[in-house]
Amino acid sequence: LCLMLYKGAMKFIKQSIIYMENGDIEKSHNSNIRAQDIFVEFMSTVDRSYGIGENLFNLYEYMNYRLQEANIQKDEEMLGEVYEMTKELSETWEEAIKIAKKKG
């Protein structure tokens, strides 16, 4: 599920960038909001009682903040930053799943 949410966030961020490039600010905004919703969901479900959980929460909070700022400022570079961070997290989860299946 987590991996699917990362992929969804990446899709919405990419859509937001494309819509912004094409001058469709409303569609860019709507796609950005959908990506933000995913990070809000991550923030609400992460277990912060462990150090890694607190770190993930802070990372998700930062990514959500950057999406908000990108939406306000109409900044493709900020969107690209969050896209790359999300891609990295997605790849990490994919690798963890592969390792778990091998042990499994």
Side-chain angles (χ1 to χ4, degrees), residues 37-52:
D37 288 344
I38 290 171
F39 287 103
V40 168
E41 179 64 23
F42 280 140
M43 289 165 52
S44 70
T45 59
V46 71
D47 182 354
R48 296 171 67 183
S49 62
Y50 301 98
I52 188 75

Side-chain angles (χ1 to χ4, degrees), residues 45-91:
T45 59
V46 71
D47 182 354
R48 296 171 67 183
S49 62
Y50 301 98
I52 188 75
E54 185 66 27
N55 290 341
L56 267 175
F57 178 87
N58 291 335
L59 181 60
Y60 294 147
E61 185 176 47
Y62 173 78
M63 294 166 81
N64 189 51
Y65 170 76
R66 293 297 280 176
L67 287 172
Q68 292 170 4
E69 286 298 304
N71 209 6
I72 292 166
Q73 298 178 27
K74 309 304 178 218
D75 189 316
E76 293 173 35
E77 191 174 307
M78 285 184 207
L79 289 170
E81 172 193 357
V82 178
Y83 179 88
E84 289 303 319
M85 294 171 76
T86 306
K87 182 179 175 188
E88 209 172 299
L89 286 167
S90 176
E91 290 169 351

Side-chain angles (χ1 to χ4, degrees), residues 2-10 42 56 60 86 89-90 93:
C2 190
L3 188 56
M4 288 181 357
L5 287 171
Y6 284 130
K7 298 290 184 185
M10 290 167 56
F42 280 140
L56 267 175
Y60 294 147
T86 306
L89 286 167
S90 176
W93 272 100

